[in-house]
Amino acid sequence: MDKLLEFDDAIQALSDNMLLTVPEQCIKDVQQFREYFEQVTDAKLRRLGLRLIDQCTAFSYMFRMGVAYDKVADKSLEIGLLREEVIKRGLRLNRSTQA
């Protein structure tokens, strides 16, 4: 669960910087969790986590290339929804393992 919270913090740092700039370090901080999610036994959480990492990376490239604002905004919304799903799934799994 600690790793999941660290991942959420990295996503939050990226989100906090989305409107101004996307620092390279924020993307690296998010991408470092790829190995963690590749080893997660729950297939749905693994798939959601890896997809969220990929979407954050795509967002970064779109932002740097100057893609139209509406497309970048749509990607930002998608990241927010995925982030919510990852946390919900992680919390649900954590509760079931503690019971």
Side-chain angles (χ1 to χ4, degrees), residues 13-37:
L14 175 66
S15 297
D16 289 346
N17 289 294
M18 279 183 176
L19 296 177
L20 302 173
T21 182
V22 180
E24 185 69 28
Q25 189 59 46
C26 286
I27 295 299
K28 288 179 182 177
D29 290 346
V30 170
Q31 289 175 335
Q32 75 177 346
F33 289 93
R34 181 171 292 284
E35 185 176 325
Y36 165 74
F37 279 105

Side-chain angles (χ1 to χ4, degrees), residues 39-63:
Q39 296 174 11
V40 168
T41 55
D42 182 75
K44 186 171 183 174
L45 181 58
R46 180 177 52 245
R47 188 173 55 251
L48 286 169
L50 292 172
R51 184 168 171 219
L52 180 52
I53 292 168
D54 291 342
Q55 294 304 317
C56 288
T57 303
F59 173 85
S60 171
Y61 289 121
M62 289 171 71
F63 186 88

